[in-house]
Amino acid sequence: MHILCSQWFSHWKHHHQICRKNGFSRAELFNFWIRRWFRTLPNYYLFVLILAVLSKLFVGGFPLKGVFPFLFFCQNLFHVNDFFFGESWSLSVEEWFYLSTPLILFCCVNIFKIKFKKSLLIVSVLLLLFYTFLRYYMYRNGQLYEMIDYRRVVIMRIDNLMYGVIGAYISYYYQDFWKKYKYQFFIAGIVLVSIWKVLSYTYPDINSFYYVNIFYPLFCTAIFCLLPLMSQYTLKKYNLIATAITYISLISYSLYLIHYSLIKKLLIDHIFSFIFAGDYLEAYILKNAFYWGASLFGAFLIYKYFEIPTTKLRDRISFKSDKKSQSPSLEFSEKIN
């Protein structure tokens, strides 16, 4: 659930970028993808390379060909793949979402000639209903077991981000409504979270009807109701807390990539396992100190010396529509803001 929450709040800005558009030309579509991919792909492929090299060197019988699906985010498209870089399943969900949803939206605006505002609402609702029905259909036909763990499969989770788009849609186009009823929504969200917790304890089986069909929609609806108040809340008067949260949020993507497969699985559990072996208290403290220290410090270094420079590259590349041909032309800028 913490992954779902982080996806919503970290991509709130992306959702608003979509809502701000009056139209959706090919140039705008390509620019959206450029800004998204220069933010995520360089870091991701850096860690794929690091993990592949270290696994080949230190893990006996590691097949490099198994890394291939991870290069195209196909590792968990239809079933779970824990062979390599297991936590990347959530990033795969995001990448397919940001590839498919803007493309469908582009088709609605430019092929079916539906106004952007209406297209955004239609696409959001229809995709939400489609994936909800898909989960129910696969549940009724007993196809969930083939996925191993459907909770980490793209086609079963991609709609979770759509609730955030609908939230951004309402907050952007109906700001007065969004702000006026923020406390009522917040109370409703707390009630729904409580109901979700009770039902989750009552029906813990992940293959039950509740878990497959209601668990995620109910939780997403609850978080959706919390957004009006939380999106307007500020921690500026709590300087120390605000600084800590801001710091963690800045390095969060690098921290997400580095903390498990590299630090936990490869370094602690495999390469340096002889140092952290044992069930005594000192080994436990040493293991946790190394885990948190290496994760936070490594994430800081990656963020400062790799993520920031590669993200800034997107400011040098942009597509501009050619009014004569109506086709996007690629432009490069020498200046990085």
Side-chain angles (χ1 to χ4, degrees):
M1 288 302 99
H2 69 281
I3 293 177
L4 179 58
C5 291
S6 67
Q7 285 177 330
W8 272 38
F9 293 118
S10 63
H11 298 298
W12 186 249
K13 183 178 179 181
H14 290 296
H15 299 330
H16 269 269
Q17 286 176 349
I18 296 176
C19 293
R20 289 192 185 102
K21 301 181 182 302
N22 293 318
F24 208 17
S25 66
R26 278 181 287 180
E28 288 177 308
L29 176 64
F30 292 148
N31 284 330
F32 178 84
W33 281 336
I34 285 173
R35 299 198 66 79
R36 166 67 191 177
W37 288 335
F38 269 91
R39 170 71 177 83
T40 57
L41 296 189
N43 243 15
Y44 172 75
Y45 285 123
L46 172 66
F47 278 94
V48 168
L49 176 63
I50 292 173
L51 290 171
V53 171
L54 290 179
S55 297
K56 187 63 178 177
L57 291 175
F58 295 101
V59 179
F62 179 81
L64 279 178
K65 64 180 182 180
V67 179
F68 186 76
F70 290 80
L71 300 178
F72 302 97
F73 297 99
C74 296
Q75 66 269 29
N76 63 320
L77 196 53
F78 301 109
H79 58 82
V80 169
N81 185 347
D82 285 329
F83 156 76
F84 172 83
F85 209 176
E87 66 271 31
S88 66
W89 71 265
S90 59
L91 182 60
S92 179
V93 172
E94 294 176 19
E95 295 305 327
W96 281 105
F97 175 84
Y98 284 112
L99 174 66
S100 60
T101 304
L103 187 59
I104 296 171
L105 186 59
F106 171 83
C107 293
C108 282
V109 173
N110 294 278
I111 297 178
F112 298 105
K113 305 301 180 183
I114 304 174
K115 290 185 178 180
F116 180 82
K117 180 181 176 181
K118 186 179 292 186
S119 294
L120 182 57
L121 182 60
I122 291 173
V123 169
S124 299
V125 173
L126 288 182
L127 287 180
L128 198 59
L129 293 174
F130 170 78
Y131 285 109
T132 300
F133 174 77
L134 179 64
R135 271 196 301 272
Y136 176 73
Y137 174 82
M138 301 193 78
Y139 166 80
R140 286 297 301 270
N141 286 273
Q143 296 176 311
L144 297 180
Y145 294 100
E146 300 174 9
M147 299 179 178
I148 303 174
D149 184 355
Y150 67 87
R151 297 172 298 175
R152 291 181 287 152
V153 175
V154 169
I155 62 172
M156 301 296 282
R157 293 295 302 278
I158 197 170
D159 64 309
N160 292 169
L161 288 168
M162 196 58 71
Y163 289 88
V165 174
I166 295 175
Y169 176 91
I170 297 174
S171 71
Y172 183 77
Y173 290 112
Y174 303 97
Q175 295 182 25
D176 292 339
F177 174 82
W178 186 259
K179 294 177 180 178
K180 182 179 180 180
Y181 296 102
K182 59 185 178 183
Y183 292 111
Q184 291 90 330
F185 272 113
F186 188 80
I187 294 172
I190 296 298
V191 171
L192 289 175
V193 168
S194 301
I195 294 173
W196 172 79
K197 289 291 290 184
V198 171
L199 290 175
S200 298
Y201 280 112
T202 306
Y203 304 102
D205 183 7
I206 65 170
N207 293 307
S208 66
F209 176 86
Y210 162 75
Y211 215 112
V212 176
N213 297 285
I214 301 176
F215 181 87
Y216 288 112
L218 180 59
F219 182 79
C220 289
T221 303
I223 299 300
F224 172 88
C225 290
L226 299 177
L227 281 176
L229 180 60
M230 297 183 70
S231 63
Q232 299 170 53
Y233 190 75
T234 178
L235 288 172
K236 287 184 178 179
K237 60 181 179 180
Y238 306 104
N239 291 329
L240 184 60
I241 297 176
T243 300
I245 292 176
T246 300
Y247 170 76
I248 296 297
S249 67
L250 288 174
I251 68 169
S252 61
Y253 182 50
S254 294
L255 186 61
Y256 155 77
L257 293 171
I258 199 174
H259 81 285
Y260 189 71
S261 288
L262 181 58
I263 302 299
K264 174 68 169 61
K265 300 295 289 183
L266 266 176
L267 297 186
I268 294 179
D269 293 346
H270 198 85
I271 298 176
F272 299 120
S273 59
F274 63 95
I275 297 177
F276 306 106
D279 296 327
Y280 48 91
L281 180 61
E282 290 82 356
Y284 178 80
I285 295 174
L286 180 62
K287 182 187 297 185
N288 279 275
F290 177 81
Y291 171 76
W292 285 107
S295 295
L296 289 171
F297 185 63
F300 167 75
L301 293 178
I302 294 294
Y303 170 74
K304 183 175 182 179
Y305 296 108
F306 186 79
E307 184 177 337
I308 291 178
T310 54
T311 300
K312 284 184 176 180
L313 291 175
R314 66 188 183 180
D315 296 325
R316 301 182 62 184
I317 305 174
S318 64
F319 284 89
K320 291 188 176 181
S321 296
D322 186 339
K323 294 182 179 180
K324 293 181 179 180
S325 63
Q326 296 297 317
S327 61
S329 58
L330 181 62
E331 293 191 357
F332 292 87
S333 172
E334 294 298 327
K335 183 180 179 180
I336 299 180
N337 296 324

